[in-house]
């Protein structure tokens, strides 16, 4: 029993460490966006809107990533918080809620993209092609996720 608990605890620690790595990647993307927003590094001139957009999104990503990193490090250092996180993440109800959330969101996203695809033809051919590419990439992601899950589960 103790070995099982130790293994589960290590699994949760590994997940939290992976989240820290993902957050660092998001922070790097945020810095990249903020640098683009500040401008002067690109051969093209950005409009005020685009400059503000990239700066704002980049700053938001940086702040969110830093908060997530701090919370996860705090959890790793505090045995009580780690145990609570372990219980939360291993709860079957929470797992099912997470799976259903992603599933419903995925269905909704597919429908919204398709409706957008139908409407985009009346707006602009470029918008239509953009949504078509996004829909295609989304379909490929679903396909490869299905292959991966069939092999691993």
């Amino acid at each position: 029993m103790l070995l099982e608990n130790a293994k589960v605890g290590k699994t949760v620690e590994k997940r939290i460490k992976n989240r820290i790595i993902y957050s660092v990647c998001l922070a790097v993307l945020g810095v990249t966006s903020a640098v683009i927003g500040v401008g002067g590094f690109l051969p093209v001139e950005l409009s005020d809107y685009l400059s503000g957009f990239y700066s704002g999104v980049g700053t938001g990503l940086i702040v969110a990533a830093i908060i997530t990193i701090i919370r996860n490090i705090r959890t790793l250092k505090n045995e009580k918080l780690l145990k609570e996180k372990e219980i939360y993440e291993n709860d079957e109800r929470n797992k099912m809620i997470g799976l259903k959330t992603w599933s419903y969101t995925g269905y909704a996203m597919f429908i919204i993209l398709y409706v957008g695809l139908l409407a985009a033809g009346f707006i602009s051919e470029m918008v239509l092609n953009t949504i078509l590419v996004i829909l295609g990439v989304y379909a490929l992601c679903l396909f490869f996720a299905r292959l991966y899950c069939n092999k691993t589960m």
Side-chain angles (χ1 to χ4, degrees):
M1 186 70 177
L2 288 175
L3 289 176
E4 278 183 28
N5 288 340
K7 184 178 180 184
V8 170
K10 293 293 181 191
T11 303
V12 171
E13 284 181 28
K14 185 176 179 181
R15 278 190 231 149
I16 292 172
K17 288 177 182 176
N18 282 340
R19 288 182 191 136
I20 291 171
I21 292 169
Y22 298 147
S23 295
V24 168
C25 292
L26 281 177
V28 169
L29 289 174
V31 168
T32 304
S33 292
V35 167
I36 289 171
V38 170
F41 304 102
L42 298 174
V44 294
E45 186 69 30
L46 294 178
S47 68
D48 286 342
Y49 173 79
L50 287 178
S51 179
F53 175 80
Y54 284 120
S55 297
V57 169
T59 303
L61 272 178
I62 294 166
V63 170
I66 289 171
I67 290 170
T68 303
I69 291 168
I70 290 169
R71 291 177 79 193
N72 283 321
I73 289 173
R74 209 175 116 224
T75 300
L76 283 175
K77 290 184 177 181
N78 186 327
E79 195 66 37
K80 182 182 175 196
L81 289 175
L82 188 61
K83 187 67 175 167
E84 287 174 7
K85 192 72 166 174
E86 180 180 333
I87 291 168
Y88 178 81
E89 290 201 11
N90 290 317
D91 180 37
E92 292 296 322
R93 181 176 177 272
N94 290 333
K95 287 181 181 179
M96 185 58 69
I97 289 170
L99 289 173
K100 290 287 185 183
T101 301
W102 278 102
S103 176
Y104 294 160
T105 305
Y107 292 131
M109 188 64 181
F110 186 80
I111 291 168
I112 291 167
L113 281 171
Y114 191 77
V115 169
L117 187 69
L118 293 175
F122 299 104
I123 298 168
S124 162
E125 194 174 312
M126 185 181 291
V127 173
L128 176 99
N129 288 333
T130 302
I131 294 175
L132 186 61
V133 168
I134 292 169
L135 189 61
V137 170
Y138 181 74
L140 283 174
C141 288
L142 284 173
F143 175 75
F144 287 117
R146 178 73 177 208
L147 286 178
Y148 174 78
C149 289
N150 279 337
K151 289 187 178 191
T152 60
M153 295 181 171

